[in-house]
């Protein structure tokens, strides 16, 4: 009994900052710029949301969506064939071990350590200050993750299914598209969701490689709000809530997969 | 047929290899090379200076401060997060009604954008109107200068990091806890071992590899600390929360001392490489079990 009460109490405690954000996004300034500890607004208002929408914030949300979709698409298009090759073929000189070791190093390397030359690469390609450039930069984290995760899922697809199709004369592409991909759907969806969340929350590359304010993703925009005026809390909270909702919904849907991601991390 | 079969895997790997070559290997090599030059952009007009940049780092009071802050933050945050993760895992180990809900809700802070997290906590830390000081004053205590006191600012950021990422440590440790066979405990209970003895002599040793992995992954991540500092304190007050990542950012993207920034980046890569070796060794040990 004590255990249950403690668990729920801790859970509630850890959610207070989120509750504060939801409540503040609905408070008129007089209520949040105060010394009151009342969480819930006396006089709720949607004014902060209206200001954000009127100031064209939805376009920044669209930027985040475009970058997330692009990051997911590229990491799956490049990652699925790579994962398939690593899972199904005997590669010379333990290429798979070398490859997975390399992936590990990238995972552990600080992104800022690659940022300077990456800036120069994107500039040389004419991709600085473009969403395509950011999508490419995001691959540094997204692609190793996608390959690592898809590798496990491909190994779970029985090879005998493919062999049966081969006897029926199905070529490689046909096998991949008609057997492997459909069986892999849950894994592809889970991988896509995690890569999307990763991209949605990514801040450093967005800060360094996007310069035009109208091209900002949501985290980069929130950073400007934080530094601009620290008592714009109503607008900031509304923005934070809008940016968090898709992620929270996605995680609610794939919580089981999140546990799997952690076990992928360890093995 | 055989030739095409031999080519097929490489064909499949090509897109991924191209992306890695262009976006990771090349930048990595370029960082190493740039660290040996005095330059404000690329290799044009760059002057080869050998290891002088590293000498300058070594002599730099700011860099040493950034290293100290990063190490202190990493050690303290990692220890607290693993301890909190362990506590949560033990608390949630036994089934009870609503456990799935509690677990899902606990994960919420972990999946939020760090900028959203920072936005919330920067408001909470506000001296005059912040929620934390309002709470303290409501019970008659004085307000705390969370981010303005040089001795306190780094600890305030630790607090935010703890709130955001303890759930991650929890996930790993919880996974390990689920894998401990229950009959081990039955036997110990029959032998008369009390709860503390069972925890100290059985749970803790059996959980050690998971605690280790959680600590390693958390320290790797803490070592990169940038976002929270950037938006919460900008490295201040003074240099009190400056981290190595912030140092690289400032030298590279504010002062355009690319050579010096690259040298600091090389130091980071070397440390990350060492951590990767430790991590790989622990993975291999795990695979051999």
């Amino acid at each position: 009994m004590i255990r249950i009460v403690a668990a729920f109490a801790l859970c509630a405690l850890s959610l207070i900052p989120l509750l504060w954000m939801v409540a503040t996004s609905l408070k008129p300034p007089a209520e949040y710029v105060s010394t009151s500890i009342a969480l819930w607004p006396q006089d709720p208002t949607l004014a902060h949301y209206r200001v954000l929408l009127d100031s064209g914030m939805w376009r920044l949300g669209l930027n985040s969506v475009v970058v997330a979709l692009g990051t997911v698409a590229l990491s799956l298009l490049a990652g699925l064939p790579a994962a398939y090759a690593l899972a199904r073929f005997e590669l010379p000189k333990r290429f798979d071990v070398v490859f997975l070791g390399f992936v590990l190093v990238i995972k552990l390397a600080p992104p800022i350590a690659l940022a300077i030359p990456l800036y120069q690469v994107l500039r040389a390609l004419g991709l600085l200050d473009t969403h395509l450039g950011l999508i490419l930069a995001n691959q540094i984290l997204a692609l190793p993750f996608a390959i690592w995760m898809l590798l496990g899922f491909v190994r779970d697809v029985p090879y005998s299914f493919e062999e049966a199709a081969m006897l029926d004369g199905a070529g490689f592409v046909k096998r991949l598209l008609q057997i492997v991909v459909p069986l892999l759907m849950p894994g592809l969806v889970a991988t896509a969701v995690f890569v999307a969340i990763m991209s949605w929350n990514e801040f450093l590359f967005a800060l360094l490689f996007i310069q035009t304010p109208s091209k900002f993703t949501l985290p980069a925009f929130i950073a400007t709000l934080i530094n601009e005026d620290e008592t714009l809390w109503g607008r900031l909270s509304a923005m934070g809530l809008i940016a968090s909702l898709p992620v929270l919904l996605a995680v609610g849907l794939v919580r089981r997969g999140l546990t799997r991601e952690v076990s992928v991390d360890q093995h | 047929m055989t030739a095409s079969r031999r080519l097929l895997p490489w064909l499949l790997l090509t897109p991924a290899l191209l992306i890695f070559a262009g976006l990771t290997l090349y930048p990595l090599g370029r960082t190493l090379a740039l660290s040996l030059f005095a330059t404000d952009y690329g290799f044009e007009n760059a002057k080869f200076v050998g290891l002088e940049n590293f000498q300058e780092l070594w002599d730099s009071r700011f860099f040493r401060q950034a290293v100290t802050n990063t190490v202190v933050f990493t050690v303290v945050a990692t220890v607290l997060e693993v301890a909190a993760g362990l506590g949560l895992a033990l608390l949630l180990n036994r089934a009870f009604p609503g456990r799935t809900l509690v677990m899902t809700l606990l994960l919420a802070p972990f999946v939020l954008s760090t900028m959203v997290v920072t936005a919330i906590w920067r408001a909470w830390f506000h001296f005059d109107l912040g929620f934390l000081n309002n709470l303290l004053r409501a019970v008659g205590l004085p307000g705390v200068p969370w981010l303005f006191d040089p001795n306190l600012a780094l600890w305030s950021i630790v607090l935010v990091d703890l709130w955001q990422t303890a759930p991650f440590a929890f996930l790993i440790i919880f996974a390990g806890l689920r894998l401990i066979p229950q009959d081990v405990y039955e036997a110990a209970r029959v032998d008369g071992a009390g709860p503390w003895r069972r925890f100290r002599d059985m749970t803790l040793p059996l959980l050690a590899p998971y605690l280790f992995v959680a600590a390693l992954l958390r320290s790797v991540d803490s070592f990169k600390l940038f976002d929270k500092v950037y938006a919460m304190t900008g490295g201040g007050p003074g240099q009190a929360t400056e981290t190595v990542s912030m140092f690289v950012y400032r030298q590279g993207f504010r002062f355009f001392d690319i050579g010096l920034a690259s040298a600091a980046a090389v130091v980071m890569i070397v440390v990350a490489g060492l951590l990767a070796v430790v991590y790989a060794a622990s993975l291999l040990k795990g695979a051999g079990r």
Side-chain angles (χ1 to χ4, degrees):
Chain A
M1 193 58 208
I2 296 173
R3 180 186 293 260
I4 303 180
V5 174
F8 275 96
L10 263 177
C11 186
L13 197 65
S14 94
L15 290 179
I16 292 180
L18 293 183
L19 182 64
W20 178 91
M21 178 172 73
V22 177
T24 304
S25 76
L26 298 170
K27 280 180 184 172
E31 282 189 52
Y32 62 72
V33 184
S34 81
T35 53
S36 149
I37 54 166
L39 269 180
W40 209 248
Q42 306 270 303
D43 189 14
T45 168
L46 288 174
H48 306 303
Y49 292 91
R50 213 166 294 133
V51 169
L52 283 173
L53 288 175
D54 288 347
S55 65
M57 177 241 88
W58 53 273
R59 286 209 43 182
L60 302 177
L62 198 63
N63 292 342
S64 274
V65 170
V66 166
V67 173
L69 287 182
T71 303
V72 168
L74 188 54
S75 69
L76 291 187
L77 281 177
L80 179 60
Y84 184 87
L86 289 168
R88 287 286 195 254
F89 293 95
E90 194 81 39
L91 292 167
K93 298 200 200 299
R94 304 287 292 157
F95 181 82
D96 49 343
V97 176
V98 175
F99 178 83
L100 293 175
F102 175 65
V103 164
L104 192 64
V105 174
I106 303 172
K107 186 179 161 52
L108 301 187
I112 187 78
L114 296 178
I116 293 165
L118 202 57
Y119 183 94
Q120 296 167 344
V121 169
L122 291 179
R123 184 161 169 158
L125 294 173
L127 291 175
L128 213 53
D129 202 29
T130 66
H131 290 149
L132 180 59
L134 189 53
I135 289 168
L136 282 173
N138 281 350
Q139 295 309 314
I140 292 179
L141 298 163
L143 186 56
F145 175 81
I147 294 177
W148 193 245
M149 194 154 166
L150 288 172
L151 189 59
F153 287 113
V154 175
R155 282 180 178 149
D156 287 347
V157 175
Y159 189 52
S160 55
F161 289 11
E162 285 184 63
E163 284 174 326
M166 252 187 283
L167 290 181
D168 290 344
F172 172 72
V173 174
K174 204 173 169 193
R175 247 156 51 218
L176 201 62
L177 291 182
Q178 294 191 346
I179 296 171
V180 180
V181 169
L183 285 171
L184 218 55
M185 245 339 144
L188 283 170
V189 170
T191 308
V193 170
F194 289 128
V195 171
I197 292 177
M198 205 183 276
S199 160
W200 189 264
N201 290 344
E202 202 285 324
F203 172 68
L204 180 67
F205 291 152
L207 169 77
L208 297 179
F209 303 146
I210 301 290
Q211 289 137 359
T212 311
S214 68
K215 293 182 187 170
F216 279 173
T217 56
L218 292 175
F221 176 61
I222 292 173
T224 66
L225 279 185
I226 295 177
N227 287 323
E228 197 173 81
D229 180 345
E230 56 186 22
T231 48
L232 280 176
W233 295 343
R235 194 181 305 178
L236 204 50
S237 297
M239 188 68 258
L241 186 69
I242 295 172
S244 305
L245 267 186
V247 175
L248 292 176
L249 289 178
V251 167
L253 292 176
V254 296
R255 192 187 59 81
R256 289 192 166 281
L258 197 66
T259 323
R260 178 175 173 121
E261 179 209 345
V262 171
S263 51
V264 165
D265 248 328
Q266 297 167 65
H267 298 301
Chain B
M1 173 67 196
T2 46
S4 76
R5 257 198 82 73
R6 224 177 306 130
L7 273 178
L8 184 57
W10 297 108
L11 199 65
L12 292 171
L13 281 165
T14 301
L17 291 178
L18 281 179
I19 290 174
F20 284 140
L23 295 170
T24 313
L25 279 184
Y26 174 73
L28 209 59
R30 203 174 156 104
T31 298
L32 292 176
L34 284 170
S35 72
L36 303 175
F37 286 84
T39 170
D40 58 5
Y41 180 63
F43 292 109
E44 313 82 36
N45 305 321
K47 183 168 155 267
F48 183 79
V49 293
L51 296 176
E52 262 175 42
N53 287 322
F54 292 92
Q55 181 66 46
E56 193 181 336
L57 278 185
W58 181 256
D59 293 336
S60 160
R61 189 166 61 83
F62 296 123
F63 184 69
R64 280 207 300 265
Q65 179 73 50
V67 170
T68 311
N69 289 340
T70 305
V71 170
V72 168
F73 177 87
T74 301
V75 171
V76 175
T78 301
V79 168
L80 291 179
E81 281 154 22
V82 170
L86 175 63
L88 282 173
L90 291 172
L91 188 66
L92 294 175
N93 191 27
R94 215 173 303 158
F96 58 82
R99 183 174 71 167
T100 315
L101 177 69
V102 168
M103 278 182 58
T104 309
L105 293 178
L106 275 176
L107 290 177
F110 170 58
V111 295
L112 292 186
S113 157
T114 300
M115 269 316 123
V116 172
V117 169
T118 305
I120 294 175
W121 284 87
R122 188 153 149 161
W124 273 43
F125 284 144
H126 193 276
F127 185 76
D128 294 318
L129 306 164
F131 187 70
L132 287 178
N133 282 354
N134 284 352
L135 274 182
L136 288 174
R137 290 182 184 119
V139 296
L141 294 168
V144 172
W146 300 98
L147 296 174
F148 296 129
D149 182 341
N151 296 316
L152 204 62
L154 197 64
W155 304 100
S156 301
I157 297 176
V158 168
L159 177 65
V160 181
D161 201 62
L162 174 68
W163 178 73
Q164 190 189 8
T165 56
F168 176 74
F170 157 75
L171 272 180
I172 294 176
I173 298 166
F174 187 74
L177 205 53
R178 305 305 289 164
L179 292 176
I180 298 179
Q182 288 306 304
D183 46 354
V184 187
Y185 287 102
E186 294 304 325
R189 220 172 271 133
V190 170
D191 289 345
W196 168 246
R197 283 277 312 273
R198 290 202 299 272
F199 173 71
R200 197 194 57 193
D201 294 344
M202 308 173 66
T203 310
L204 223 43
L206 287 170
L207 220 46
Y210 294 89
L211 295 173
F212 179 75
V213 167
L216 196 62
L217 290 178
R218 279 316 308 146
S219 29
V220 162
D221 217 39
S222 308
F223 173 67
K224 305 172 189 171
L225 180 67
F226 176 80
D227 309 19
K228 289 190 186 78
V229 170
Y230 174 85
M232 197 120 51
T233 63
Q239 302 285 316
T241 57
E242 179 89 348
T243 62
V244 181
S245 282
M246 277 297 287
F247 182 88
V248 175
Y249 168 76
R250 223 189 283 283
Q251 294 300 327
F253 290 93
R254 285 286 164 269
F255 306 146
F256 303 105
D257 191 342
I258 300 297
L260 189 66
S262 298
V266 169
V267 173
M268 292 194 91
I269 291 168
V270 169
V271 174
L274 292 176
L275 288 168
V277 170
V278 175
Y279 187 35
S282 83
L283 287 181
L284 288 177
K285 221 173 84 193
R289 257 203 318 257

